[in-house]
Amino acid sequence: MREHNLGLALRLVAAADRPVSRARIAADTGMTRATASSLVDALLAANLVREVTLPPTARRGRPATGLVLAAGGPPGPGGVGVIGGIGVELNVDYVAMTVVDLAGSVVVHDVVVGDQRGRPPREVLAGVASAAHRAITAAARVGVDVCGMAVAVPGLVDAGAGRLLLAPNLGWRDVDVVRLLTRGPRLASLAVSLGNEADFAALGELSSAAPGAPRSFVLVSGEVGVGAGIVLDGRLFRGARGWSGELGHVTVDAAGPPCSCGARGCLELYAGQEAILRRAGLSANRTSVMGGAATVQSLVQRAGQDDPAVLAALRTAAEALGIAIAALLNLLDVGTVVLGGIYAPLAPWLQPVIEAELAKRVLWARLEPPEVHTSVLGPEAAVLGAARSVVSGVVADPARWLARGTPTS
C-alpha cells in the first residue's frame, strides 16, 4: 500500500501546474495528513521532489510550502542527486543524446554527426555507448543521476527483447541493440529500453503539449523514411507487437513504382525526403536535418521563391500524405494530425493540400474537420521523447526506482 501511495503522491505533484501542498495531497488522495506527510518526507529524502515557498496569503503565520518535481542542481539530503533519464536517437547520419532531469528539463544535449550506413552495428553501438557515458558524466556534474536510457531507432523493434528487427535505411537486420550497448562496463548497470523513433517523437510531443491540447493525435514524421506515432487518450499505441505506425509503407498507388519493402506505390516513394528532392531536381542524398545536411533548408528556400519544380514535388508529396493519413484517421477516429521531421519546416506548402485531401477522404470531415498542426519540437522530438519516457517511468512507479538505490555514473 505504501508503494502505491508513493506513486499517487508523486504523480499528483507531476501533474499539477503549480506547487502542491501536503494538505492538498492528503485531500486529493483521501490519505490522512500524517500519511501524506510521511510519504512526502520519503520523496524529499530521495530528492524526487523539492519544497518551494508558496505565494503569501492573507493568513498570518509561517509561509506555506509547496512541492515540485526535483530539477537539476545541488544534491538533496544525504548527497542524493536528482534522478534523470537519457534519450538516444540513432539515425542514418547522426546520433543524438539528451539527458533530462525528473521535471523533464534538458540538462545535457549533444549530436554526433557521422554516417552509420554500411558500418557494423557492433562498431556503431560501441561509439554510442561511449557518447552516452560522456553525456551521463556531464549530467552528474550538474547534480543529475541518470537511472535509465531509452534508444530511438528508425525501424521495427522487439521492445521486450531489446532487438532491432529491421531498419532498411540503416541496412540493419536482427541486431541485439540493448545487449551490445550494455556489454561494456560503462552502461552495464543502466536500465536500457528500445523503441521506434516515431513513437518516441509522439511521446515528446505529448510531453510538451500545452494545457488543453488534444490527448489523441497522430504524429507524422518524415525524414529519410516516413513514420507515424499514434497517441490515443494520452497513451502511445504501439500495436500488438509494437510495430504500428509504419505509414511510409502504406500503398497510395497500387500501380506505382516498386519499393524496397517488396510492395509497390508506398507513401515513402512519394513523400519521403529522397523522393521529394528527386522530383524537385535536387540532390537526393539520404541525409537528415540533424545530420547537418542543408537539403531541407534548400527546399524551404526554393519553395519560398516559388520554384515550380519544388512546388510541384511538394504538392505530390502532400497529396500522397493526405491519402495515407485519411485512411489512418478513418480507421482510428483521431481528429488531430501533427507534422514532424522535415514536414514541420515544409508545413506552409504541405498543410493546405493535406487538409484538402482529408476534407475529401475522411468520412466524418464534414461533421468535424480534422486539424493539422506543426510539431513544437522539430527534429529533437524523438530524442527528447525517449529521455522523458525514462523519467515518466520513475514518476509512475517511484518505489521501484527507490528500491534500486541511487545509480552511479
Side-chain angles (χ1 to χ4, degrees):
M1 179 61 73
R2 181 175 173 81
E3 293 179 355
H4 172 74
N5 287 339
L6 272 171
L8 277 181
L10 187 58
R11 289 193 295 274
L12 183 60
V13 173
D17 57 3
R18 64 188 65 183
V20 177
S21 67
R22 296 180 186 230
R24 181 181 163 188
I25 291 176
D28 287 5
T29 62
M31 303 175 196
T32 66
R33 290 204 175 196
T35 298
S37 186
S38 173
L39 294 173
V40 168
D41 288 341
L43 295 174
L44 285 167
N47 207 11
L48 294 177
V49 298
R50 286 184 176 166
E51 290 184 316
V52 295
T53 302
L54 295 175
T57 64
R59 296 179 180 179
R60 296 181 179 180
R62 294 169 54 190
T65 58
L67 301 161
V68 296
L69 289 177
V80 179
V82 174
I83 286 182
I86 180 170
V88 176
E89 184 189 2
L90 172 60
N91 217 309
V92 294
D93 57 356
Y94 69 87
V95 177
M97 308 267 171
T98 293
V99 178
V100 300
D101 59 24
L102 194 61
S105 301
V106 175
V107 295
V108 176
H109 180 70
D110 188 29
V111 178
V112 181
V113 176
D115 199 338
Q116 318 301 335
R117 292 159 296 190
R119 296 178 59 198
R122 186 184 303 269
E123 176 185 311
V124 172
L125 293 171
V128 171
S130 296
H133 184 259
R134 291 195 298 271
I136 292 169
T137 302
R141 288 197 289 266
V142 294
V144 175
D145 290 322
V146 171
C147 69
M149 180 166 76
V151 183
V153 290
L156 298 178
V157 303
D158 181 342
R163 302 183 74 90
L164 172 59
L165 302 178
L166 179 64
N169 291 322
L170 279 173
W172 290 9
R173 182 187 293 270
D174 196 23
V175 178
D176 195 339
V177 173
V178 171
R179 185 183 68 82
L180 290 173
L181 283 174
T182 56
R183 63 186 307 207
R186 290 172 172 170
L187 304 180
S189 63
L190 206 62
V192 180
S193 61
L194 185 70
N196 176 268
E197 61 171 343
D199 286 345
F200 279 128
L203 287 176
E205 293 292 329
L206 181 65
S207 70
S208 301
R215 301 287 289 171
S216 295
F217 62 88
V218 174
L219 172 78
V220 180
S221 181
E223 200 131 12
V224 176
V226 181
I230 303 166
V231 175
L232 302 177
D233 195 23
R235 294 177 177 270
L236 183 67
F237 175 75
R238 288 189 169 95
R241 291 167 294 184
W243 300 348
S244 70
E246 289 298 323
L247 192 66
H249 296 288
V250 168
T251 299
V252 295
D253 181 3
C259 180
S260 60
C261 74
R264 303 184 71 91
C266 292
L267 174 64
E268 191 171 294
L269 301 174
Y270 299 84
Q273 178 179 281
E274 186 176 5
I276 295 173
L277 291 169
R278 183 174 289 113
R279 283 191 171 85
L282 301 175
S283 175
N285 295 327
R286 295 171 70 80
T287 53
S288 66
V289 178
M290 292 268 279
T295 49
V296 176
Q297 292 90 324
S298 179
L299 281 171
V300 171
Q301 181 181 7
R302 294 193 183 204
Q305 296 169 348
D306 294 330
D307 183 305
V310 171
L311 293 179
L314 292 176
R315 183 170 189 86
T316 297
E319 289 173 346
L321 282 165
I323 292 171
I325 295 170
L328 194 57
L329 299 191
N330 278 325
L331 285 171
L332 296 176
D333 185 22
V334 173
T336 303
V337 179
V338 179
L339 300 178
I342 65 166
Y343 301 143
L346 295 172
W349 299 276
L350 298 176
Q351 186 170 336
V353 181
I354 293 173
E355 289 175 336
E357 291 293 329
L358 297 184
K360 290 189 298 184
R361 299 175 183 277
V362 175
L363 185 62
W364 39 264
R366 292 185 180 180
L367 302 174
E368 190 174 337
E371 296 182 357
V372 181
H373 302 292
T374 304
S375 164
V376 299
L377 298 178
E380 278 86 20
V383 69
L384 187 57
R388 286 180 176 169
S389 75
V390 176
V391 295
S392 293
V394 177
V395 171
D397 188 3
R400 180 167 65 93
W401 294 100
L402 293 178
R404 291 179 175 221
T406 304
T408 58
S409 55

